[in-house]
Amino acid sequence: MPYGPSVVGHKLPEPTFHTIRCYDFKFNDGYLSFALTCLEVWGRYHHLSREDFLREWLEVTRSYFLHVYLVRVENPPPGRFNHVRFHSARMSSLCYLPPSLRERIQQHLDARSPAFTIGYSIVPGGINQGEEYTHVQGAHVEAFVHTFRFPLPDTSNIDRTEILRAIVYRENAYREEATQKERDGNKN
């Protein structure tokens, strides 16, 4: 079974979809770690056999997804993933999503277990960073199903806030690197 994202489907215009897909490619490992830590997966399931874990995990993964809110970056450097940045994230119910999207997600989850869904929405940048944004319609969520390995690594000492800080740090590093490459390219 392949590891990596399974694209569930998109409803947003192509440039926005590709921006989110590129962003997910760069940062899904951090968001998946955040989601699994929020759900206390290691503490709750590490003692189970693979079969028992997969059976119990289906209940969780069919109920929740990690909803990541992104905002657009003004004058972004090259690299489509640099066009958005992290705003906030929260666990959300899959019931929040339109039935057709929810059904596609469940099909992907069943085919790729163990897996978890990360959904992205681009929201207005006028609200404070870190403040939860909950007024986005479910049709505006781009969802990707990501597999992970079992047995699970011990995440009992990981601080969820530190995971999000690391994602923001990586975003900033990628933007600075792209900006520097652009400047160096313009000097020649």
Side-chain angles (χ1 to χ4, degrees):
M1 191 158 297
Y3 287 87
S6 174
V7 179
V8 177
H10 59 90
K11 303 231 184 234
L12 295 176
E14 286 298 317
T16 301
F17 169 74
H18 288 299
T19 295
I20 291 175
R21 186 173 182 172
C22 290
Y23 184 89
D24 176 74
F25 179 78
K26 286 287 190 184
F27 300 105
N28 74 71
D29 58 334
Y31 289 120
L32 186 58
S33 294
F34 178 78
L36 297 178
T37 302
C38 284
L39 293 169
E40 300 176 355
V41 174
W42 186 83
R44 292 169 61 193
Y45 302 109
H46 77 280
H47 62 284
L48 298 177
S49 69
R50 179 177 176 80
E51 294 77 27
D52 289 342
F53 168 71
L54 292 176
R55 189 172 29 259
E56 289 191 30
W57 183 243
L58 274 177
E59 295 299 316
V60 174
T61 198
R62 288 180 173 209
S63 300
Y64 300 101
F65 76 103
L66 179 66
H67 197 167
V68 178
Y69 298 102
L70 304 171
V71 293
R72 294 198 185 279
V73 172
E74 296 288 326
N75 303 312
R80 191 176 287 276
F81 59 89
N82 285 322
H83 291 220
V84 290
R85 67 171 170 77
F86 173 76
H87 179 276
S88 58
R90 67 184 185 113
M91 298 303 293
S92 292
S93 170
L94 279 176
C95 294
Y96 170 74
L97 300 175
S100 61
L101 179 56
R102 198 167 53 240
E103 185 177 311
R104 286 194 307 270
I105 286 171
Q106 289 177 348
Q107 289 170 354
H108 285 260
L109 289 168
D110 290 346
R112 298 171 58 89
S113 194
F116 195 73
T117 305
I118 302 173
Y120 299 89
S121 295
I122 298 177
V123 297
I127 55 177
N128 295 327
Q129 186 167 350
E131 185 179 319
E132 284 193 10
Y133 192 86
T134 58
H135 307 293
V136 177
Q137 297 300 317
H140 297 107
V141 176
E142 293 294 339
F144 302 88
V145 172
H146 294 279
T147 57
F148 59 92
R149 298 188 189 279
F150 187 90
L152 305 161
D154 183 356
T155 57
S156 59
N157 294 333
I158 296 177
D159 180 353
R160 295 181 308 212
T161 307
E162 290 302 316
I163 296 172
L164 295 179
R165 283 188 188 133
I167 291 169
V168 171
Y169 176 81
R170 281 174 54 201
E171 283 181 350
N172 290 335
Y174 280 128
R175 274 195 296 278
E176 287 174 20
E177 180 182 334
T179 301
Q180 187 61 46
K181 283 182 181 177
E182 187 176 46
R183 273 187 285 214
D184 291 348
N186 290 339
K187 290 179 183 178
N188 294 332

